Amino acid sequence: MEKNQLSKKANLLHLSSLKLAERMRNGNFKSLYHGRGIEFSGVREYLPDDDVRSIDWNVTARMGKPFVKIFEEEHELDIFLVIDKSVSMSNGTGLQSRLEAAIECASLLTLASLHNNCPVGAVTFDGKINFFCEPKAGRNHAMLVLSKIEKEFDKKTNGSALNNALQGAEKILKKSSLIMILSDFRTTGWEKPFSHLCKKNDVIAVRIQDPLDEALPLVGSVPFVDPETHFHTTLPTFSSKFANAWKRDNDMRLHRWEEEVIRHGGIPLILNTSNEPASQLIKFFSIREKS
């Protein structure tokens, strides 16, 4: 990409992230947290007008007189990004590839977190974990996360380490966080660690879709190869029966995926490579703000 194109893209990202940050801030992030906007900060002696339900009975028993718990409102929310860079993310026929869409989404969310003074962390992976950092606040850390998000690897490892990435996130996150998973979810074994994460965090599963997932162009019998397994086959794209089966299979897989995400306590979001990532994210958070 030429220098002027890069400059224009960076400016658009900046402006879009400001709007995204506003949408997230108006919902105060905690609209996603179902009332978990306060955290325990200590105890003090009981006063006559205090609610008896706030008494800390363990401290009261030790001290011989009543003490109550003190809670403070959380002023920041940790953001954690899980970014899939596996081989299957590299394809796409929309405005960009799945991977490019995921990277742009992650970059927007990182910049929005910076605008809102929220700590941000991330993990990137293909067949193995490539980068992992816990959420931290500050411009320098946000710039580090951005550089790792956008870094391309000369040689990709086949497969998907999504389950390992989710397990690692569960171990590293010390407080309730907003977790955004950006992936095509073309793997297995992610459901169990996903379910564990949803118990203490708000987890948004972002599935990156492409127009090819729903329909193939009518170009006759075309040879296809799986980039990871190298399995070869020929598909009759001209056949209406095949086209209907292809669409039906995609609809079924999407429906099953959404059900799994919701069943485990997550929030499903489908992003399409044929639309701008920024507008789709802003629309999603705007809806969440009103709900």
Side-chain angles (χ1 to χ4, degrees), residues 64-78:
K65 54 184 177 182
F67 278 75
V68 294
K69 298 177 182 178
I70 304 172
F71 294 90
E72 292 183 357
E73 184 178 358
E74 291 180 322
H75 295 292
E76 61 181 27
L77 177 67
D78 286 3

Side-chain angles (χ1 to χ4, degrees), residues 86-151:
S86 60
V87 174
S88 63
M89 289 285 287
S90 299
N91 60 52
T93 59
L95 297 174
Q96 50 195 177
S97 69
R98 299 174 206 268
L99 180 56
E100 289 169 336
I103 288 174
E104 186 166 332
C105 284
S107 299
L108 284 165
L109 290 162
T110 301
L111 290 171
S113 301
L114 179 60
H115 295 319
N116 282 327
N117 297 315
C118 291
V120 61
V123 56
T124 67
F125 65 91
D126 46 29
K128 66 180 191 316
I129 304 297
N130 295 313
F131 171 72
F132 208 118
C133 73
E134 62 184 84
K136 291 181 183 178
R139 180 178 178 81
N140 289 341
H141 183 72
M143 292 303 104
L144 169 67
V145 172
L146 276 176
S147 69
K148 296 298 184 180
I149 287 172
E150 296 176 355
K151 183 177 180 180

Side-chain angles (χ1 to χ4, degrees), residues 231-276:
F231 172 76
H232 289 74
T233 189
T234 299
L235 301 179
T237 63
F238 59 84
S239 166
S240 59
K241 183 177 180 180
F242 170 80
N244 291 334
W246 182 272
K247 184 180 186 307
R248 189 165 56 248
D249 181 69
N250 176 67
D251 292 344
M252 181 182 66
R253 282 185 283 110
L254 269 184
H255 180 68
R256 187 184 301 134
W257 172 80
E258 285 185 301
E259 283 188 332
E260 280 295 295
V261 170
I262 294 171
R263 184 169 71 87
H264 291 299
I267 303 167
L269 170 61
I270 297 173
L271 259 61
N272 202 295
T273 61
S274 60
N275 298 316
E276 287 288 346

Side-chain angles (χ1 to χ4, degrees), residues 5 30 33 46 49 56 69 87-88 110 118 131 138 153 163 188 194 218 222 230 232 248 261 273 278 284 287 290:
Q5 290 178 304
K30 293 188 284 285
Y33 267 68
Y46 176 85
D49 291 331
D56 188 318
K69 298 177 182 178
V87 174
S88 63
T110 301
C118 291
F131 171 72
F153 296 93
N163 58 340
T188 58
F194 179 85
L218 303 178
V222 181
H230 305 295
H232 289 74
R248 189 165 56 248
V261 170
T273 61
F284 169 77
I287 292 172
K290 295 173 184 176

